[in-house]
Amino acid sequence: MRKILVLGAGGQIGTDLVATLREQHGAENVIASDLKTPESVSGQGPYEKLDATDAGALREVTQRYEIGTIYHLVAMLSATAEKMPEKGWQLNMDTLFHVLNLAREGLIQKVFWPSSIAAFGPTTPKQNTPQFTVMDPGTVYGISKLSGELWCQYYHQQYGVDVRSIRYPGLISYAGAPGGGTTDYAIDIFHQALAGEAFESFLGENRALPMMYMPDAIRATIALMEAPAEKVKIRTSYNVTALSFTPPELGAAIQKEIPGFTYSCKPDERDSIAAGWPQAIDDSRAREDWGWQPEYDLPAMVKDMLAKLRQKKSR
Ligand code: AKB
Protein backbone atom coordinates (compact mmCIF):
# COMPACT_ATOMS: atom_id res chain seq x y z
CA MET A 1 0.00 0.00 0.00
CA ARG A 2 1.11 3.56 -0.67
CA LYS A 3 1.70 5.30 2.62
CA ILE A 4 -0.13 8.09 4.44
CA LEU A 5 1.58 11.32 5.50
CA VAL A 6 0.02 13.48 8.23
CA LEU A 7 1.30 17.07 8.28
CA GLY A 8 0.84 18.86 11.61
CA ALA A 9 0.61 15.48 13.35
CA GLY A 10 1.36 16.91 16.79
CA GLY A 11 -1.65 19.24 16.76
CA GLN A 12 -5.11 18.76 18.19
CA ILE A 13 -6.58 16.76 15.28
CA GLY A 14 -3.29 15.12 14.26
CA THR A 15 -2.71 13.48 17.65
CA ASP A 16 -5.97 11.52 17.44
CA LEU A 17 -5.98 11.04 13.68
CA VAL A 18 -2.48 9.50 13.58
CA ALA A 19 -3.40 7.05 16.35
CA THR A 20 -6.58 5.96 14.52
CA LEU A 21 -4.94 5.71 11.09
CA ARG A 22 -2.12 3.62 12.60
CA GLU A 23 -4.64 1.24 14.16
CA GLN A 24 -6.38 0.86 10.81
CA HIS A 25 -3.42 0.69 8.42
CA GLY A 26 -0.48 -0.40 10.61
CA ALA A 27 1.92 2.02 12.27
CA GLU A 28 4.59 1.57 9.58
CA ASN A 29 2.20 2.89 6.90
CA VAL A 30 1.40 6.20 8.60
CA ILE A 31 4.16 8.82 8.68
CA ALA A 32 3.63 11.54 11.26
CA SER A 33 5.33 14.88 10.68
CA ASP A 34 5.50 18.21 12.42
CA LEU A 35 7.79 21.16 13.01
CA LYS A 36 8.42 19.94 16.55
CA THR A 37 8.78 16.34 17.68
CA PRO A 38 5.68 15.51 19.72
CA GLU A 39 5.96 12.42 21.92
CA SER A 40 2.34 11.51 21.24
CA VAL A 41 3.09 10.50 17.66
CA SER A 42 6.88 10.22 17.30
CA GLY A 43 7.50 7.13 19.42
CA GLN A 44 4.67 5.03 17.97
CA GLY A 45 5.70 4.80 14.30
CA PRO A 46 7.62 6.59 11.53
CA TYR A 47 8.14 10.28 12.23
CA GLU A 48 9.69 13.10 10.17
CA LYS A 49 10.52 16.54 11.51
CA LEU A 50 9.26 18.63 8.63
CA ASP A 51 8.52 22.28 7.90
CA ALA A 52 5.55 22.08 5.52
CA THR A 53 6.32 25.59 4.18
CA ASP A 54 9.47 24.07 2.64
CA ALA A 55 8.14 22.64 -0.65
CA GLY A 56 11.44 20.83 -1.41
CA ALA A 57 11.56 19.07 1.95
CA LEU A 58 7.90 18.07 1.64
CA ARG A 59 8.50 16.63 -1.84
CA GLU A 60 11.54 14.69 -0.62
CA VAL A 61 9.61 13.07 2.26
CA THR A 62 6.67 12.32 -0.05
CA GLN A 63 8.93 10.54 -2.55
CA ARG A 64 11.12 8.76 0.00
CA TYR A 65 8.15 7.14 1.75
CA GLU A 66 6.10 6.61 -1.45
CA ILE A 67 3.20 8.57 -0.03
CA GLY A 68 -0.23 8.16 -1.64
CA THR A 69 -2.37 10.29 0.69
CA ILE A 70 -1.62 13.48 2.60
CA TYR A 71 -3.71 14.75 5.51
CA HIS A 72 -2.75 18.41 5.63
CA LEU A 73 -3.44 19.61 9.19
CA VAL A 74 -0.99 22.51 9.38
CA ALA A 75 -2.74 25.78 10.26
CA MET A 76 -2.54 28.93 12.29
CA LEU A 77 -5.94 29.12 14.03
CA SER A 78 -8.29 32.08 14.34
CA ALA A 79 -7.16 33.92 17.47
CA THR A 80 -3.42 33.58 16.74
CA ALA A 81 -3.75 34.53 13.05
CA GLU A 82 -5.49 37.78 14.06
CA LYS A 83 -2.29 38.72 15.91
CA MET A 84 -0.04 38.02 12.89
CA PRO A 85 -2.23 38.29 9.78
CA GLU A 86 0.41 37.97 7.04
CA LYS A 87 2.18 35.08 8.72
CA GLY A 88 -1.16 33.33 9.24
CA TRP A 89 -2.15 33.80 5.61
CA GLN A 90 1.24 32.61 4.33
CA LEU A 91 1.37 29.52 6.50
CA ASN A 92 -2.21 28.49 5.76
CA MET A 93 -2.06 29.11 2.00
CA ASP A 94 1.54 28.23 1.05
CA THR A 95 1.36 24.81 2.65
CA LEU A 96 -1.96 24.09 0.92
CA PHE A 97 -0.49 24.95 -2.49
CA HIS A 98 2.56 22.76 -1.85
CA VAL A 99 0.32 19.77 -1.17
CA LEU A 100 -2.15 20.47 -4.00
CA ASN A 101 0.77 20.79 -6.44
CA LEU A 102 2.16 17.38 -5.42
CA ALA A 103 -1.28 15.94 -6.21
CA ARG A 104 -1.52 17.86 -9.49
CA GLU A 105 1.82 16.32 -10.57
CA GLY A 106 0.48 12.86 -9.71
CA LEU A 107 3.02 12.27 -6.92
CA ILE A 108 0.15 11.65 -4.48
CA GLN A 109 -3.39 10.44 -5.17
CA LYS A 110 -5.52 11.90 -2.38
CA VAL A 111 -5.53 14.97 -0.13
CA PHE A 112 -7.47 15.88 3.01
CA TRP A 113 -7.54 19.55 3.94
CA PRO A 114 -9.57 20.97 6.85
CA SER A 115 -11.79 24.00 6.49
CA SER A 116 -13.75 25.50 9.37
CA ILE A 117 -16.95 27.26 10.44
CA ALA A 118 -14.66 30.33 10.36
CA ALA A 119 -15.14 30.36 6.56
CA PHE A 120 -18.60 31.81 7.25
CA GLY A 121 -19.06 35.44 8.27
CA PRO A 122 -21.28 38.01 9.98
CA THR A 123 -23.96 38.08 7.27
CA THR A 124 -24.15 34.28 6.93
CA PRO A 125 -27.44 32.93 8.38
CA LYS A 126 -26.53 31.95 11.96
CA GLN A 127 -29.11 29.19 12.53
CA ASN A 128 -29.09 25.99 10.52
CA THR A 129 -26.39 27.56 8.30
CA PRO A 130 -26.82 25.99 4.85
CA GLN A 131 -24.08 24.23 2.91
CA PHE A 132 -24.30 26.88 0.19
CA THR A 133 -24.86 30.39 1.51
CA VAL A 134 -23.31 33.84 1.96
CA MET A 135 -19.67 33.49 3.02
CA ASP A 136 -17.96 36.70 4.11
CA PRO A 137 -15.37 35.75 6.76
CA GLY A 138 -14.03 38.59 8.85
CA THR A 139 -10.83 36.93 10.14
CA VAL A 140 -7.54 36.11 8.43
CA TYR A 141 -8.04 32.46 9.34
CA GLY A 142 -11.56 32.50 7.87
CA ILE A 143 -10.37 34.23 4.69
CA SER A 144 -7.64 31.59 4.30
CA LYS A 145 -10.21 28.80 4.82
CA LEU A 146 -12.70 30.19 2.28
CA SER A 147 -9.91 30.83 -0.25
CA GLY A 148 -8.48 27.37 0.40
CA GLU A 149 -11.88 25.76 -0.20
CA LEU A 150 -12.14 27.48 -3.58
CA TRP A 151 -8.59 26.46 -4.52
CA CYS A 152 -9.37 22.85 -3.59
CA GLN A 153 -12.42 22.94 -5.86
CA TYR A 154 -10.36 24.57 -8.63
CA TYR A 155 -7.64 21.91 -8.45
CA HIS A 156 -10.33 19.22 -8.53
CA GLN A 157 -12.15 20.73 -11.51
CA GLN A 158 -9.11 21.79 -13.54
CA TYR A 159 -6.57 19.07 -12.74
CA GLY A 160 -8.67 16.20 -11.40
CA VAL A 161 -7.06 16.36 -7.93
CA ASP A 162 -8.93 14.15 -5.43
CA VAL A 163 -9.05 16.64 -2.56
CA ARG A 164 -11.65 16.32 0.19
CA SER A 165 -12.53 18.68 3.01
CA ILE A 166 -14.68 19.24 6.08
CA ARG A 167 -15.70 22.52 7.70
CA TYR A 168 -14.88 21.54 11.27
CA PRO A 169 -16.86 23.15 14.07
CA GLY A 170 -15.07 23.76 17.41
CA LEU A 171 -13.39 20.50 18.41
CA ILE A 172 -13.25 19.14 21.95
CA SER A 173 -10.54 16.63 22.77
CA TYR A 174 -8.53 15.20 25.65
CA ALA A 175 -5.45 13.84 23.83
CA GLY A 176 -3.96 16.69 21.78
CA ALA A 177 -3.88 20.24 23.09
CA PRO A 178 -5.46 22.93 20.93
CA GLY A 179 -3.60 26.16 20.26
CA GLY A 180 -4.83 29.63 19.42
CA GLY A 181 -8.47 28.83 18.62
CA THR A 182 -11.60 30.79 19.51
CA THR A 183 -13.40 27.60 20.54
CA ASP A 184 -10.63 26.45 22.91
CA TYR A 185 -12.55 27.63 25.99
CA ALA A 186 -14.63 24.46 25.59
CA ILE A 187 -11.52 22.39 26.40
CA ASP A 188 -9.98 24.64 29.07
CA ILE A 189 -13.23 24.45 31.05
CA PHE A 190 -12.78 20.67 31.60
CA HIS A 191 -9.23 21.08 32.91
CA GLN A 192 -10.31 23.80 35.35
CA ALA A 193 -13.32 21.79 36.51
CA LEU A 194 -11.14 18.75 37.24
CA ALA A 195 -8.58 20.92 39.03
CA GLY A 196 -11.40 22.10 41.33
CA GLU A 197 -11.09 25.68 40.08
CA ALA A 198 -13.72 28.21 39.00
CA PHE A 199 -13.79 28.81 35.24
CA GLU A 200 -14.06 32.12 33.41
CA SER A 201 -15.08 31.84 29.75
CA PHE A 202 -13.53 34.28 27.27
CA LEU A 203 -16.72 33.96 25.18
CA GLY A 204 -19.93 35.67 26.29
CA GLU A 205 -22.88 33.92 27.89
CA ASN A 206 -25.04 33.91 24.74
CA ARG A 207 -22.28 32.84 22.39
CA ALA A 208 -23.55 29.55 20.96
CA LEU A 209 -21.20 27.81 18.50
CA PRO A 210 -21.30 24.55 16.55
CA MET A 211 -19.07 21.97 18.27
CA MET A 212 -18.00 18.33 18.01
CA TYR A 213 -16.24 15.76 20.17
CA MET A 214 -12.97 14.56 18.65
CA PRO A 215 -13.97 10.88 18.20
CA ASP A 216 -16.82 12.09 15.97
CA ALA A 217 -14.47 14.42 14.08
CA ILE A 218 -12.03 11.57 13.40
CA ARG A 219 -14.87 9.30 12.21
CA ALA A 220 -16.13 12.07 9.90
CA THR A 221 -12.66 12.65 8.46
CA ILE A 222 -11.99 8.99 7.76
CA ALA A 223 -15.51 8.38 6.41
CA LEU A 224 -15.09 11.21 3.93
CA MET A 225 -11.66 9.98 2.87
CA GLU A 226 -12.90 6.41 2.41
CA ALA A 227 -16.07 7.36 0.51
CA PRO A 228 -16.13 6.38 -3.19
CA ALA A 229 -15.07 9.43 -5.25
CA GLU A 230 -18.46 9.71 -6.96
CA LYS A 231 -20.16 10.21 -3.57
CA VAL A 232 -17.96 13.20 -2.76
CA LYS A 233 -20.00 15.70 -4.72
CA ILE A 234 -18.83 18.85 -2.91
CA ARG A 235 -15.18 19.69 -3.51
CA THR A 236 -15.06 22.96 -1.60
CA SER A 237 -15.80 21.63 1.90
CA TYR A 238 -18.64 19.84 3.70
CA ASN A 239 -20.59 21.27 6.65
CA VAL A 240 -20.48 18.73 9.51
CA THR A 241 -21.74 19.21 13.04
CA ALA A 242 -22.83 17.39 16.17
CA LEU A 243 -23.51 19.89 18.99
CA SER A 244 -24.29 23.54 19.57
CA PHE A 245 -24.00 25.16 23.00
CA THR A 246 -23.21 28.39 24.86
CA PRO A 247 -20.54 28.53 27.62
CA PRO A 248 -23.23 28.40 30.39
CA GLU A 249 -24.88 25.37 28.73
CA LEU A 250 -21.53 23.55 28.73
CA GLY A 251 -20.84 24.73 32.30
CA ALA A 252 -24.21 23.39 33.47
CA ALA A 253 -23.57 20.02 31.79
CA ILE A 254 -20.22 19.76 33.63
CA GLN A 255 -21.88 20.84 36.89
CA LYS A 256 -24.16 17.79 36.64
CA GLU A 257 -21.02 15.62 36.84
CA ILE A 258 -19.04 17.84 39.23
CA PRO A 259 -21.65 19.53 41.47
CA GLY A 260 -19.32 22.08 43.12
CA PHE A 261 -18.03 23.46 39.80
CA THR A 262 -18.63 27.16 39.14
CA TYR A 263 -18.27 29.20 35.95
CA SER A 264 -18.74 32.73 34.69
CA CYS A 265 -18.27 34.66 31.43
CA LYS A 266 -15.93 37.57 30.77
CA PRO A 267 -15.84 38.06 27.00
CA ASP A 268 -12.60 39.32 25.41
CA GLU A 269 -11.62 39.97 21.76
CA ARG A 270 -12.19 36.31 20.89
CA ASP A 271 -15.90 36.83 21.54
CA SER A 272 -15.97 39.29 18.59
CA ILE A 273 -14.39 36.62 16.37
CA ALA A 274 -17.04 34.09 17.43
CA ALA A 275 -19.80 36.69 16.90
CA GLY A 276 -19.16 36.43 13.15
CA TRP A 277 -19.59 32.63 13.08
CA PRO A 278 -22.71 30.45 12.79
CA GLN A 279 -24.42 29.15 15.93
CA ALA A 280 -25.65 25.85 14.50
CA ILE A 281 -25.09 24.46 11.02
CA ASP A 282 -26.97 22.22 8.60
CA ASP A 283 -24.90 19.19 7.64
CA SER A 284 -27.55 17.35 5.62
CA ARG A 285 -25.35 17.16 2.50
CA ALA A 286 -22.64 15.27 4.41
CA ARG A 287 -25.33 12.93 5.76
CA GLU A 288 -26.83 12.36 2.29
CA ASP A 289 -23.61 12.12 0.27
CA TRP A 290 -21.38 9.94 2.45
CA GLY A 291 -23.50 8.90 5.42
CA TRP A 292 -22.27 11.26 8.14
CA GLN A 293 -23.92 10.70 11.54
CA PRO A 294 -22.55 12.02 14.85
CA GLU A 295 -22.55 9.78 17.94
CA TYR A 296 -21.97 12.14 20.88
CA ASP A 297 -24.56 14.55 22.27
CA LEU A 298 -23.66 17.06 25.00
CA PRO A 299 -24.16 14.83 28.10
CA ALA A 300 -22.34 11.88 26.46
CA MET A 301 -19.45 14.09 25.37
CA VAL A 302 -19.10 15.64 28.86
CA LYS A 303 -19.15 12.24 30.60
CA ASP A 304 -16.58 10.72 28.25
CA MET A 305 -14.31 13.78 28.27
CA LEU A 306 -14.20 13.85 32.09
CA ALA A 307 -13.58 10.10 32.30
CA LYS A 308 -10.73 10.23 29.74
CA LEU A 309 -9.08 13.26 31.37
CA ARG A 310 -9.29 11.56 34.79
CA GLN A 311 -7.63 8.44 33.34
CA LYS A 312 -4.92 10.57 31.73
CA LYS A 313 -4.19 12.45 34.96
CA SER A 314 -3.99 9.22 36.99
CA ARG A 315 -1.28 7.72 34.76
C1 AKB B 1 -10.74 28.04 15.97
O1 AKB B 1 -11.39 28.33 16.98
O2 AKB B 1 -9.99 28.83 15.38
C2 AKB B 1 -10.91 26.65 15.41
C3 AKB B 1 -11.94 26.60 14.34
C4 AKB B 1 -13.36 26.81 14.67
O3 AKB B 1 -11.63 26.39 13.20
N1 AKB B 1 -11.22 25.72 16.44
Side-chain angles (χ1 to χ4, degrees), residues 28-43:
E28 68 286 1
N29 291 315
V30 180
I31 292 68
S33 79
D34 210 302
L35 256 186
K36 297 177 221 117
T37 308
E39 258 179 49
S40 55
V41 287
S42 59

Side-chain angles (χ1 to χ4, degrees), residues 12 77-79 115-118 141 168-171 180-184 277:
Q12 191 194 5
L77 296 187
S78 54
S115 186
S116 158
I117 52 165
Y141 175 65
Y168 287 121
L171 297 178
T182 302
T183 57
D184 294 359
W277 293 353

Side-chain angles (χ1 to χ4, degrees), residues 46-170:
Y47 173 77
E48 284 289 327
K49 192 166 186 298
L50 177 65
D51 176 358
T53 63
D54 181 342
L58 175 60
R59 173 182 295 269
E60 191 280 317
V61 167
T62 301
Q63 287 176 318
R64 177 153 49 90
Y65 283 98
E66 298 185 349
I67 301 295
T69 300
I70 294 184
Y71 287 81
H72 172 319
L73 304 178
V74 175
M76 193 183 290
L77 296 187
S78 54
T80 310
E82 286 310 284
K83 295 196 183 111
M84 35 183 133
E86 279 185 43
K87 222 172 158 186
W89 171 258
Q90 274 161 8
L91 176 74
N92 293 354
M93 297 312 293
D94 289 357
T95 53
L96 174 60
F97 277 114
H98 296 339
V99 172
L100 288 177
N101 285 330
L102 292 177
R104 179 184 171 180
E105 284 177 42
L107 272 179
I108 55 171
Q109 283 69 55
K110 226 186 229 185
V111 176
F112 176 82
W113 178 78
S115 186
S116 158
I117 52 165
F120 297 111
T123 66
T124 301
K126 291 221 177 310
Q127 292 302 336
N128 214 21
T129 305
Q131 173 70 44
F132 300 105
T133 184
V134 178
M135 298 183 81
D136 58 348
T139 61
V140 174
Y141 175 65
I143 296 169
S144 75
K145 289 300 178 189
L146 178 56
S147 311
E149 285 190 13
L150 294 170
W151 277 111
C152 287
Q153 180 175 253
Y154 185 86
Y155 269 66
H156 177 72
Q157 288 172 344
Q158 300 297 323
Y159 312 123
V161 167
D162 189 355
V163 52
R164 305 172 182 208
S165 177
I166 277 173
R167 290 175 183 147
Y168 287 121

Side-chain angles (χ1 to χ4, degrees), residues 254-280:
I254 295 175
Q255 229 170 28
K256 284 200 178 130
E257 304 297 320
I258 305 178
F261 174 58
T262 58
Y263 54 87
S264 58
C265 295
K266 192 174 174 212
D268 67 13
E269 71 286 351
R270 288 167 283 189
D271 189 62
S272 324
I273 295 178
W277 293 353
Q279 296 180 357

Side-chain angles (χ1 to χ4, degrees), residues 158-222:
Q158 300 297 323
Y159 312 123
V161 167
D162 189 355
V163 52
R164 305 172 182 208
S165 177
I166 277 173
R167 290 175 183 147
Y168 287 121
L171 297 178
I172 298 154
S173 63
Y174 52 87
T182 302
T183 57
D184 294 359
Y185 90 87
I187 299 166
D188 299 341
I189 191 170
F190 285 94
H191 292 272
Q192 302 280 109
L194 283 173
E197 285 165 20
F199 178 72
E200 191 176 79
S201 161
F202 56 72
L203 297 189
E205 59 185 0
N206 296 319
R207 193 62 67 213
L209 287 175
M211 296 276 185
M212 188 181 283
Y213 193 32
M214 189 59 87
D216 272 340
I218 299 301
R219 279 192 318 102
T221 307
I222 292 176

